[in-house]
Amino acid sequence: FKERPVLIHASAIKGYAIAASDGEIGTVSDLLFDDVSWRVRWLVVETGTWLAGRKVLLPASTLGHADAIRREFTAKLTVQQVKDSPNVDTERPVSRQVESSIYGHYGWYPYWGYGLYTGSYGYGSVMGSPFFGPSSQPTEDEARETQRNRDDPHLRSIAAVEGYHIHATDGEIGHVEDMLVEEADWSIRYLVVDTKNWWPGKRVLLSPRSAHEVSWTDRIIDINVNREAVRSSPGYDATTEVDRDYEQRFNSYYGNAAPGSSARARASDL
């Protein structure tokens, strides 16, 4: 018997306190996800006055369960460990080198393991590039592209993606209002889409798997379903419980598995 996944609004996670074993570290101000697997990798934590307004990055996978009443996550860290962690400019893109330095500081094993991304939906790729077959050798350009992807963690700010326009196959339908994150593995299960400019008062959920292309510069997510399909999809609001029955209706409506794969940025955006 599989337990129902706990889904949390990304917007609700902002403001959660992070409690170390010997004191509070700070509060969550943003979440960074990788755009290959659509999984949250890092929490940006405001440390407040005790570290002179410094922000730190903590891997989402190291946190305990969310305490919705206290609005708090626990972390198996000490305040001193956080104080001694590498300084990170969270206003700039986070490089693989920065990620490695943080994991090294805490003595943790990096999430990218042996150079593979394995997303929550079972996607696997060499940092966003296809696997090379056993009998094929990559060209120099392919090898360079693979290395470039290996050095690029593909991290995006959830706060920055809120407001992105959603384009169906036959026109715009709304914008990203929020995201639903599964607590167990920090995967982004659904985009919460506000369609008020087309269908007043209606919000819908869309799976990231329905996104076939994302333009990070133009702030547009293209999905591979039409507007009518979205309009007729199961409705959603803050009182909706996304339980097994809802997910079964959602999956059945979209054919039990939304087509497409995890969205990748256009080459011109990289």
Side-chain angles (χ1 to χ4, degrees):
F1 182 75
K2 187 176 181 181
E3 186 178 353
R4 179 174 64 85
V6 176
L7 303 180
I8 310 174
H9 284 88
S11 60
I13 297 174
K14 297 173 190 175
Y16 264 53
I18 305 294
S21 59
D22 56 350
E24 189 171 302
I25 297 170
T27 57
V28 179
S29 63
D30 199 1
L31 301 92
L32 304 181
F33 71 99
D34 78 60
D35 61 26
V36 177
S37 68
W38 288 81
R39 182 178 293 188
V40 175
R41 297 300 187 187
W42 299 93
L43 274 65
V44 182
V45 180
E46 296 264 10
T47 60
T49 57
W50 76 276
L51 276 183
R54 178 180 155 200
K55 294 180 182 179
V56 297
L57 293 182
L58 292 179
S61 58
T62 65
L63 301 180
H65 288 298
D67 185 330
I69 297 176
R70 295 172 60 90
R71 288 181 52 79
E72 179 182 87
F73 289 102
T74 57
K76 294 180 179 180
L77 302 170
T78 65
V79 169
Q80 189 64 45
Q81 281 179 302
V82 175
K83 183 178 180 180
D84 295 338
S85 65
N87 284 317
V88 178
D89 184 354
T90 56
E91 301 303 316
R92 297 174 60 83
V94 178
S95 68
R96 180 67 75 222
Q97 183 178 4
V98 168
E99 289 189 294
S100 296
S101 68
I102 297 173
Y103 275 100
H105 169 73
Y106 291 111
W108 294 328
Y109 191 70
Y111 64 82
W112 56 87
Y114 295 100
L116 302 181
Y117 269 116
T118 52
S120 59
Y121 300 115
Y123 305 134
S125 63
V126 180
M127 297 314 235
S129 299
F131 286 117
F132 295 112
S135 60
S136 64
Q137 292 296 324
T139 65
E140 185 176 341
D141 287 343
E142 288 171 334
R144 189 180 300 113
E145 175 69 10
T146 299
Q147 183 62 46
R148 185 181 68 83
N149 279 322
R150 186 175 288 120
D151 294 337
D152 180 3
H154 296 271
L155 295 175
R156 307 286 176 179
S157 160
I158 280 186
V161 174
E162 292 170 1
Y164 270 39
H165 298 282
I166 303 291
H167 285 194
T169 56
D170 53 354
E172 187 172 351
I173 57 166
H175 65 271
V176 177
E177 183 180 73
D178 208 339
M179 299 184 190
L180 286 177
V181 179
E182 183 174 339
E183 183 188 9
D185 63 0
W186 289 90
S187 60
I188 297 173
R189 291 285 297 278
Y190 298 101
L191 307 177
V192 181
V193 179
D194 187 346
T195 67
K196 63 183 177 183
N197 291 337
W198 286 267
W199 306 293
K202 186 176 178 67
R203 287 174 173 79
V204 297
L205 298 184
L206 289 174
S207 167
R209 289 176 292 174
S210 65
H212 68 86
E213 191 169 32
V214 178
S215 173
W216 305 106
T217 54
D218 296 331
R219 296 173 55 83
I220 293 172
I221 299 176
D222 291 323
I223 61 172
N224 54 6
V225 294
N226 60 39
R227 299 176 74 191
E228 179 59 30
V230 175
R231 189 184 71 82
S232 302
S233 67
Y236 177 80
D237 61 36
T239 64
T240 304
E241 182 180 9
V242 184
D243 53 15
R244 289 192 192 86
D245 290 338
Y246 182 94
E247 292 202 305
Q248 187 172 33
R249 293 196 307 273
F250 181 92
N251 291 332
S252 295
Y253 178 79
Y254 282 110
N256 203 34
S261 60
S262 58
R264 289 175 172 78
R266 292 176 181 144
S268 59
D269 293 343
L270 297 176

